[in-house]
Structures are given as C-alpha cells and as structure tokens.
C-alpha cells in the first residue's frame, strides 16, 4: 500500500509516520488489490484529528476521528476503516 502522511498545525514526526504505516500495513492484508492511502494528521486547539482516505481499484473509503490524543485518533480511524473494508468485501461477495 502506498501511504502519504500530511501534518497540519503539527510538527512532522517520524514516529507518528511509522505508527500510521504499521497500522495501515495490517489493513493491506484485507485488500484484494493494491491501494493508496492519504493520511492527514492535524491539531485544532485540543482536538487531535486523524483523517484517512483509501483509494483502490473499486474502493473509496474515508474516515475521520477526533480525540484528545493523536495515537488514539489513529487507532480509532484504523478500526473504522477495517470495519468498512470488511463490510465492503462482504457486500461485494453478495452482489457477485
């Protein structure tokens, strides 16, 4: 999976970037075809926001999570993505 990480109102951190990459690599196993992930990590006042967009062959999934901690925002967003990917795969099996 090709992953691009963007930081808004936040100092770029290699640790955060590698954390996101490790989390999204686990999702790569669920995908049938190669996909591209765009991640935006931002801070607004005390809210830490993680936005993740995955674009693939027949796949376009977005999610956004806000918490007081960036790591928990990333974890919650990845959990949401995992559920959406599984739901999408299940629906596509029914249609086919």
């Amino acid at each position: 999976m090709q992953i691009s990480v963007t930081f808004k109102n936040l100092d770029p951190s290699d640790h955060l970037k590698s954390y996101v990459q490790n989390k999204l690599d686990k999702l790569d196993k669920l995908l049938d075809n190669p996909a591209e992930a765009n991640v935006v990590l931002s801070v607004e006042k005390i809210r830490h926001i993680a936005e993740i967009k995955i674009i693939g062959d027949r796949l376009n999934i977005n999610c956004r999570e806000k918490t007081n901690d960036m790591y928990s925002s990333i974890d919650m967003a990845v959990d949401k993505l995992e559920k959406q990917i599984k739901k999408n795969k299940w629906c596509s099996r029914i249609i086919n």
Side-chain angles (χ1 to χ4, degrees), residues 60-89:
N60 190 2
I61 298 176
N62 301 315
C63 76
R64 178 184 173 134
E65 280 296 326
K66 296 184 231 179
T67 62
N68 292 332
D69 179 43
M70 185 59 75
Y71 292 98
S72 62
S73 295
I74 294 167
D75 289 339
M76 290 174 69
V78 169
D79 289 343
K80 241 187 205 182
L81 280 175
E82 184 177 358
K83 287 178 187 176
Q84 289 181 18
I85 290 170
K86 286 180 181 179
K87 182 179 177 183
N88 189 20
K89 283 180 78 171

Side-chain angles (χ1 to χ4, degrees), residues 31 33-36 54-61:
L31 299 172
N33 299 321
E36 181 181 328
I54 294 183
I55 302 169
D57 185 22
R58 293 174 290 151
L59 185 68
N60 190 2
I61 298 176

Side-chain angles (χ1 to χ4, degrees), residues 5-11 13 15-17 19-20 23 39-44 46-52 65-78:
V5 181
T6 306
F7 296 92
K8 280 175 133 178
N9 302 327
L10 180 69
D11 293 329
S13 165
H15 191 264
L16 270 175
K17 194 172 185 176
Y19 186 77
V20 169
K23 289 289 187 174
V39 182
V40 178
L41 304 176
S42 60
V43 176
E44 294 176 358
I46 60 169
R47 291 182 299 265
H48 295 260
I49 303 167
E51 297 178 54
I52 304 174
E65 280 296 326
K66 296 184 231 179
T67 62
N68 292 332
D69 179 43
M70 185 59 75
Y71 292 98
S72 62
S73 295
I74 294 167
D75 289 339
M76 290 174 69
V78 169

